[in-house]
Amino acid sequence: MMMLTKKMIEIRGLLQTVGQSESLTLPSIVVIGSQSSGKSSVLEAIVGHEFLPKGHNMVTRRPIELTLVHTPDASAEYGEFPALGLSKVTDFGQIQKTLTDLNLAVPVTDCVSDDPIQLRIHSPNVPDLSLIDLPGYIQVVGRDQPPELKEKIAQLCEKYIKPPNVILAISAADVDLANSTALRASRKVDPRGERTIGVITKMDLVDAERGASLLSDRKYALRLGYVGVVCRVPSNASGSKLFSRGNGNITNAIAKNENAYFGSHAEFSSDSQLAVGTSNLKKKLMYVLEQTMAASLKTTSEAIQRELAEATYEYKVQYNERPLSAESYLAESLDGFKHSFRGFSDAFGRPQVRELLKHELDQQVLNLLAQRYWNRPFEDLSPPLPETDPLSSLPKADPEGEHQIWQIKLDSSSAALTKLGVGRLATSVVANAIQAHIDRLVANSRFAAHPFARQAITEASTSILKDLSYDIADELEICIKPYKYRIELEDNEWARGRENVTAVLKEELKVCEAAAKRLEDQAGGRKKVRDVMAFIDRVRNGQVVLEGDGIGGAGGFSAPLLAKGREAVFLRDRTDVLKMRLLAVKSKQCANKKNKYHCPEVFLDAVADKLTTTADLFLDAELLSKFYYNFPRELDARLGRGLSQSEIDRFAREDPKIRRHLDVVRRKDLLETVLKEMESLRQLEAREKRSIRRE
Ligand code: GDP
């Protein structure tokens, strides 16, 4: 019959993984007793090892679901904490420490927790049993303990001693049974004493006659009877030199002790029919558990069928029977993301890089022009055009000397442009653009709801871009090096520069005009701004002397208004310059590249264009193609092959919708497995019955 219990205990374990549900479990033996009744000693005697937390400060705060697995040819005895992923702990001292830590993690203010600790012990010396150890009942609440502790322990025990569980009620022989908290609690839920086994500990502390009378107690008669034990570990048993404390097997020492004690008192002779000794207790537990489990198989299997029907219905109605696993969800999400990434890489190539870079360099050209040509008092703003120009009213002294000045100016501007670190600038502009695209792709993908994956993807792209950028920036700088010394322009390059810079200047003009308009709106109307601008002009022309620094306002204008006025004057001057320069660029003179010193805008634009052409070619080949090759592989490494099962689960469960779907699928699968197991159990049972009948 032993195979049956093992199988039933396995099914019980499976049911535990389905989830906490009262009807969805098989019975277990629940151990209750007041503190110091000897409860831990009994459990340790059954297991054959000291492994339970010891200490004065209420060390059992959580139920311990103890599954004993009889393993006939196991070379070593070991424990497992499945929920912690701890397997094959062969040092029972370590098990004791882990249990202590898990219990102490429950804050004192919470008193106790009903979240059970699961512990499996494999050993050739244990029977197949499923036991639940509960915190011991306390009589008096200690000074440093919360007042509700006593009540909370009682409630926790009450929850577990419900039918069909078997109650193992521990009472000490030296305490009057009428005062046994365990028996009183069991009586409440099992008034006819049908599913309670009484254990009387510390039999050695009372005289044999009294001990024997306790075991045949009539007042608290129990159908399953009482067993008397002497479970105190003899002091030399676990301290043996061969074993570290807590690691030696104590079974033999206890058996020897008990045999000596019970054997020396006639009251406990075999004729007495009294049940004594740990080994008899073990046998009784095995028998009772098997009977009880077998008796509840039918109701449990019905409950499983009901739950399965519910889960199947939900799966069908809510999820259209769409199979789902964390792995398949991740794989699909990753494929989807890679697909959208391919779409992006097809659409973002050299022309797009070129446009980005040109725009960036246009801005640099505008800044240079503003700094070097347009920031002087009006007359001196820009190189005058040669004689024939319609704008020849501009002052022009000493044409030869002037020419030289403008030549130096243009050469230095061009040098400033080529030396501004185009390699680093262009690389970072493109890398940032790629990163921004990736961020957008993530935000629009399934990964949007998964912080963990989002981070992994962002890290994948930033790390590749960072690695590539470092060398690429330097290499690109080398590519554009020749332009730092000499720039030759073809006619068509000049013409293109002229066309482009016209558009850029027009755009800049629009920006200035829009800013001026915005400023008028903010400052409270055109007139107001005009007035303050007129005042500032008068100050600039020396017609008005500003007293102090004008911080507190001047000329009847408030300080903020003056500030706006200054801004407006700046924008007006900039607009005037831009208009004038646009005329100049459009003029016939600027159609010819030999007038380049008078047309710095066109020249610098053409230089920027040359730089762009070199950079876009290089970045397309080096940055884009390498990134497009590496990124999907890095994704696979970080989100595909590289993830452990628990990480994949964690990822999938981040999305609440997916979590519910996965839960239903898992529940259904588990319930189906349990039912299958139950069916094979039924067959096993039938076979065993047949063989017993044959015997
Ligand atoms: P728990 O608080 O109910 O778990 O009780 P313990 O198992 O820790 O035992 C309380 C005390 O009683 C310990 O000092 C044990 O050594 C002692 N004890 C346990 N069983 C026996 C026994 O059968 N005989 C004697 N003399 N002492 C025992």
Side-chain angles (χ1 to χ4, degrees), residues 326-336 446 651:
E327 292 87 340
S328 69
Y329 175 70
L330 173 64
E332 264 177 41
S333 311
L334 197 55
D335 280 351
R446 268 192 195 173
F651 157 76

Side-chain angles (χ1 to χ4, degrees), residues 24 65 67 71 89 122 223 259 263 277 296 351 449 458 465 480 487 497-498 529 570:
L24 219 57
E65 293 228 11
T67 305
T71 33
V89 187
H122 298 248
R223 189 173 63 83
N259 288 343
S296 44
T458 309
L465 288 171
I480 59 144
I487 292 171
R498 184 166 172 235
V529 177
F570 168 80

Side-chain angles (χ1 to χ4, degrees), residues 551-571:
I551 285 174
F557 299 104
S558 68
L561 195 55
L562 276 177
K564 289 247 181 309
R566 274 188 210 106
E567 227 177 295
V569 167
F570 168 80
L571 287 171

